[in-house]
Amino acid sequence: AQSVTQPDIHITVSEGASLELRCNYSYGATPYLFWYVQSPGQGLQLLLKYFSGDTLVQGIKGFEAEFKRSQSSFNLRKPSVHWSDAAEYFCAVGRLRRGSTLGRLYFGRGTQLTVWP
Amino acid sequence: NAGVTQTPKFQVLKTGQSMTLQCAQDMNHEYMSWYRQDPGMGLRLIHYSVGAGITDQGEVPNGYNVSRSTTEDFPLRLLSAAPSQTSVYFCASGNIYGYTFGSGTRLTVV
């Protein structure tokens, strides 16, 4: 069965510190992988995505993520966190191809990031 | 280019009432989905569609109905509102490159 696990419900870091948010997935084939960010009271914004090729992908706002097939992981990283990065982060997986059971994303439960000044 | 437009942004319903949450996209996306977001539960898929005339159930479809007669619109109908349906609802549209989300509808059922 398809599933996404974000092991950390809440992470707190100091401004300027590095950040890594974990994401593990279970999927029958090599999935497409996504990270979204949600600020309070807002919708979800796409940070980055991986489909194929280079396993290290760059996204917006200075974020990057690395796909590790052997570990079924897609962890999100940022070298230096800014106070404005405080938000909730969601990992998602899917296989967006035409079909009756495809075309949907499976989401993790999210990781809430708090940034101390 | 408006993206994904959800209306209304806020709604209060009485138990037993019915209503429709509207969702429209102008990006010619083939995929559309409805999610509900509750504290600590992440995003749970209610229904989704891979094209006009094609819909399927997600994880929590009970009490909700959808149809997709056009590429642009994907309304979500609450048949008989219950307090357990108090939530924030997100519509999303996408293609093989990913999904774009609307800004959400906050629904309270009293």
Side-chain angles (χ1 to χ4, degrees), chain B residues 2-70:
Chain B
V4 179
T5 302
Q6 290 185 238
T7 56
K9 293 191 182 303
F10 301 93
Q11 183 70 50
V12 178
L13 286 180
K14 294 183 178 179
T15 297
Q17 286 184 317
S18 62
M19 80 157 294
T20 299
L21 306 185
Q22 301 292 343
C23 177
Q25 54 101 358
D26 61 359
M27 297 172 283
N28 201 31
H29 284 165
E30 56 196 293
Y31 308 137
M32 295 188 77
S33 296
W34 275 103
Y35 294 86
R36 59 177 291 172
Q37 184 176 32
D38 303 290
M41 301 297 291
L43 289 154
R44 292 184 290 172
L45 184 66
I46 304 171
H47 287 284
Y48 68 104
S49 168
V50 296
I54 305 171
T55 63
D56 206 348
Q57 296 181 351
E59 305 162 75
V60 289
N62 293 339
Y64 306 95
N65 201 0
V66 293
S67 61
R68 189 157 176 215
S69 55
T70 67

